[in-house]
Coordinates of all heavy atoms in Angstrom, one line a residue:
L91 N -69.2 -68.6 298.1 CA -68.8 -67.6 297.1 C -68.1 -68.2 296.0 O -67.2 -69.1 296.3 CB -68.0 -66.5 297.8 CG -67.6 -65.3 296.9 CD1 -68.9 -64.5 296.4 CD2 -66.7 -64.3 297.7
Q96 N -65.1 -61.8 294.0 CA -65.4 -60.8 295.0 C -66.7 -60.0 294.5 O -66.8 -59.7 293.3 CB -64.3 -59.8 295.2 CG -63.0 -60.5 295.8 CD -61.9 -59.5 296.1 OE1 -62.2 -58.5 296.8 NE2 -60.8 -59.6 295.5
E97 N -67.5 -59.6 295.4 CA -68.6 -58.7 295.1 C -68.1 -57.4 294.6 O -67.2 -56.8 295.1 CB -69.5 -58.6 296.3 CG -70.2 -59.8 296.8 CD -71.1 -59.6 298.0 OE1 -71.9 -58.7 297.9 OE2 -71.1 -60.4 298.9
G98 N -68.8 -56.9 293.5 CA -68.4 -55.6 293.0 C -67.4 -55.7 291.9 O -67.0 -54.7 291.3
Y99 N -66.9 -56.9 291.5 CA -65.8 -57.1 290.5 C -66.3 -58.0 289.4 O -67.2 -58.9 289.6 CB -64.6 -57.7 291.2 CG -63.9 -56.7 292.1 CD1 -64.2 -56.5 293.3 CD2 -62.9 -55.9 291.5 CE1 -63.6 -55.6 294.2 CE2 -62.2 -54.9 292.3 CZ -62.7 -54.8 293.6 OH -61.9 -53.9 294.4
V101 N -66.8 -60.9 286.6 CA -66.7 -62.4 286.6 C -67.1 -62.9 285.2 O -67.7 -62.2 284.4 CB -67.6 -63.0 287.6 CG1 -67.1 -62.6 289.0 CG2 -69.1 -62.6 287.4
T103 N -69.3 -66.1 283.5 CA -70.2 -67.1 283.8 C -70.0 -68.3 282.8 O -69.4 -68.2 281.8 CB -71.6 -66.6 283.6 OG1 -72.0 -66.5 282.2 CG2 -71.8 -65.2 284.2
G109 N -69.8 -60.4 283.3 CA -70.6 -59.4 284.0 C -69.9 -59.0 285.4 O -68.8 -59.3 285.6
V110 N -70.7 -58.2 286.1 CA -70.2 -57.8 287.4 C -71.0 -58.5 288.5 O -72.2 -58.4 288.5 CB -70.3 -56.2 287.6 CG1 -69.8 -55.7 288.9 CG2 -69.5 -55.6 286.5
L111 N -70.3 -59.1 289.5 CA -70.9 -59.7 290.6 C -71.4 -58.6 291.5 O -70.7 -58.2 292.4 CB -70.0 -60.7 291.3 CG -70.5 -61.4 292.5 CD1 -71.8 -62.2 292.2 CD2 -69.4 -62.3 293.1
Q112 N -72.7 -58.2 291.4 CA -73.3 -57.1 292.1 C -73.3 -57.5 293.7 O -73.0 -56.8 294.5 CB -74.6 -56.9 291.6 CG -75.4 -55.6 292.3 CD -74.8 -54.3 291.9 OE1 -74.0 -54.2 291.0 NE2 -75.2 -53.3 292.7
S113 N -73.8 -58.7 294.0 CA -74.0 -59.0 295.3 C -74.3 -60.6 295.4 O -74.5 -61.3 294.4 CB -75.2 -58.4 296.0 OG -76.4 -58.6 295.3
V114 N -74.2 -61.1 296.6 CA -74.6 -62.5 296.9 C -75.6 -62.6 298.0 O -75.3 -62.0 299.1 CB -73.3 -63.4 297.3 CG1 -73.7 -64.8 297.6 CG2 -72.2 -63.3 296.2
N115 N -76.7 -63.3 297.7 CA -77.7 -63.4 298.8 C -77.2 -64.5 299.8 O -77.1 -65.7 299.5 CB -79.0 -63.9 298.1 CG -80.2 -63.9 299.2 OD1 -80.0 -64.1 300.4 ND2 -81.4 -63.8 298.8
P116 N -76.9 -64.1 301.0 CA -76.3 -64.9 302.0 C -77.1 -66.1 302.5 O -76.6 -67.1 302.9 CB -75.9 -64.0 303.2 CG -76.9 -62.9 303.1 CD -77.1 -62.7 301.6
T118 N -79.2 -67.8 300.5 CA -79.3 -68.8 299.4 C -78.1 -69.1 298.7 O -78.0 -70.1 298.1 CB -80.4 -68.3 298.4 OG1 -79.9 -67.1 297.8 CG2 -81.7 -68.0 299.1
G119 N -77.1 -68.1 298.8 CA -75.9 -68.4 298.0 C -76.0 -67.9 296.5 O -75.1 -68.1 295.7
V120 N -77.1 -67.4 296.2 CA -77.4 -66.9 294.8 C -76.6 -65.8 294.5 O -76.6 -64.8 295.2 CB -78.9 -66.7 294.5 CG1 -79.1 -66.0 293.2 CG2 -79.7 -68.0 294.6
H121 N -75.8 -65.8 293.3 CA -74.9 -64.7 292.9 C -75.8 -63.8 291.9 O -76.3 -64.4 290.8 CB -73.7 -65.3 292.2 CG -72.7 -65.9 293.1 ND1 -73.1 -66.8 294.1 CD2 -71.5 -65.8 293.3 CE1 -72.1 -67.2 294.8 NE2 -71.0 -66.5 294.3
N122 N -75.8 -62.5 292.2 CA -76.5 -61.6 291.3 C -75.5 -60.9 290.4 O -74.7 -60.1 290.9 CB -77.3 -60.6 292.1 CG -78.3 -61.2 293.1 OD1 -79.1 -62.0 292.7 ND2 -78.1 -60.9 294.4
V123 N -75.5 -61.2 289.1 CA -74.5 -60.8 288.2 C -75.2 -59.9 287.1 O -76.1 -60.3 286.4 CB -73.9 -62.0 287.5 CG1 -72.8 -61.5 286.5 CG2 -73.2 -62.9 288.5
I124 N -74.7 -58.7 287.0 CA -75.2 -57.7 286.0 C -74.3 -57.9 284.7 O -73.1 -57.9 284.8 CB -75.1 -56.2 286.4 CG1 -75.9 -56.0 287.7 CG2 -75.4 -55.3 285.3 CD1 -75.8 -54.7 288.3
I125 N -75.0 -58.1 283.6 CA -74.3 -58.2 282.3 C -74.3 -56.8 281.6 O -75.3 -56.5 281.0 CB -75.0 -59.2 281.4 CG1 -75.2 -60.6 282.2 CG2 -74.2 -59.5 280.2 CD1 -73.9 -61.2 282.7
A130 N -78.7 -57.0 281.3 CA -79.6 -58.0 282.0 C -79.0 -58.4 283.4 O -77.8 -58.1 283.7 CB -79.5 -59.3 281.1
M131 N -79.7 -58.9 284.2 CA -79.5 -59.4 285.6 C -79.5 -61.0 285.6 O -80.6 -61.5 285.2 CB -80.3 -58.8 286.6 CG -80.0 -59.4 288.0 SD -78.4 -58.8 288.7 CE -78.9 -57.1 289.2
C132 N -78.5 -61.6 285.9 CA -78.5 -63.1 286.1 C -78.5 -63.5 287.5 O -77.7 -62.9 288.3 CB -77.4 -63.7 285.3 SG -77.4 -63.4 283.6
Y133 N -79.3 -64.5 287.8 CA -79.3 -65.1 289.2 C -78.6 -66.4 289.1 O -79.3 -67.4 288.7 CB -80.7 -65.1 289.8 CG -81.4 -63.7 289.8 CD1 -82.1 -63.3 288.7 CD2 -81.1 -62.8 290.9 CE1 -82.7 -62.0 288.7 CE2 -81.7 -61.6 290.8 CZ -82.5 -61.2 289.8 OH -83.0 -59.9 289.8
L134 N -77.4 -66.6 289.6 CA -76.7 -67.8 289.4 C -76.2 -68.5 290.6 O -76.0 -67.8 291.7 CB -75.4 -67.5 288.5 CG -75.6 -66.7 287.2 CD1 -74.3 -66.3 286.6 CD2 -76.5 -67.5 286.2
Q135 N -76.0 -69.8 290.5 CA -75.4 -70.5 291.6 C -73.9 -70.4 291.5 O -73.4 -70.0 290.4 CB -75.8 -72.1 291.5 CG -77.2 -72.4 291.8 CD -77.7 -72.0 293.2 OE1 -76.9 -72.2 294.1 NE2 -78.9 -71.5 293.3
P136 N -73.2 -70.6 292.6 CA -71.7 -70.4 292.7 C -71.0 -71.2 291.6 O -70.1 -70.7 291.0 CB -71.3 -70.9 294.0 CG -72.5 -70.7 294.9 CD -73.7 -71.0 294.0
V139 N -70.6 -69.6 288.0 CA -69.7 -68.5 287.8 C -68.3 -69.1 287.8 O -67.7 -69.7 288.7 CB -69.7 -67.5 289.1 CG1 -68.7 -66.4 288.9 CG2 -71.1 -66.9 289.2
M203 N -78.7 -50.7 288.4 CA -79.6 -51.8 288.9 C -79.5 -52.1 290.3 O -80.2 -53.0 290.8 CB -79.3 -53.1 288.0 CG -79.5 -52.8 286.5 SD -79.6 -54.3 285.6 CE -81.2 -55.0 286.1
G204 N -78.7 -51.4 291.1 CA -78.6 -51.6 292.5 C -79.9 -51.4 293.2 O -80.3 -52.1 294.2
I206 N -82.8 -52.0 292.2 CA -83.8 -53.2 291.9 C -83.5 -54.2 293.0 O -84.4 -54.7 293.5 CB -83.6 -53.7 290.5 CG1 -83.9 -52.6 289.5 CG2 -84.4 -55.0 290.3 CD1 -83.7 -53.0 288.0
L207 N -82.2 -54.5 293.2 CA -81.9 -55.5 294.2 C -82.3 -55.0 295.5 O -82.9 -55.9 296.3 CB -80.3 -55.7 294.3 CG -79.7 -56.3 293.1 CD1 -78.2 -56.3 293.2 CD2 -80.2 -57.7 292.9
N208 N -82.1 -53.8 296.0 CA -82.6 -53.3 297.2 C -84.1 -53.4 297.3 O -84.6 -53.7 298.4 CB -82.2 -51.8 297.4 CG -80.7 -51.7 297.5 OD1 -80.0 -52.6 298.0 ND2 -80.1 -50.6 297.1
F210 N -86.2 -55.6 295.9 CA -86.7 -56.9 296.1 C -86.3 -57.5 297.4 O -87.0 -58.2 298.1 CB -86.2 -57.9 295.0 CG -87.0 -57.7 293.7 CD1 -86.4 -57.1 292.6 CD2 -88.3 -58.1 293.6 CE1 -87.1 -56.9 291.4 CE2 -89.0 -58.0 292.4 CZ -88.4 -57.4 291.3
Y211 N -85.0 -57.2 297.9 CA -84.6 -57.8 299.2 C -85.4 -57.1 300.3 O -85.7 -57.8 301.3 CB -83.1 -57.4 299.4 CG -82.3 -58.4 298.6 CD1 -81.0 -57.9 298.1 CD2 -82.6 -59.7 298.3 CE1 -80.1 -58.8 297.4 CE2 -81.9 -60.5 297.6 CZ -80.6 -60.2 297.2 OH -79.8 -61.0 296.4

Side-chain angles (χ1 to χ4, degrees):
L91 184 63
Q96 298 182 54
E97 293 182 46
Y99 289 87
V101 295
T103 73
V110 178
L111 179 57
Q112 180 76 11
S113 63
V114 179
N115 186 330
T118 63
V120 171
H121 288 45
N122 305 304
V123 179
I124 296 175
I125 309 300
M131 174 71 78
C132 295
Y133 302 93
L134 307 174
Q135 292 296 324
V139 179
M203 299 191 70
I206 299 178
L207 292 174
N208 294 331
F210 283 110
Y211 283 148

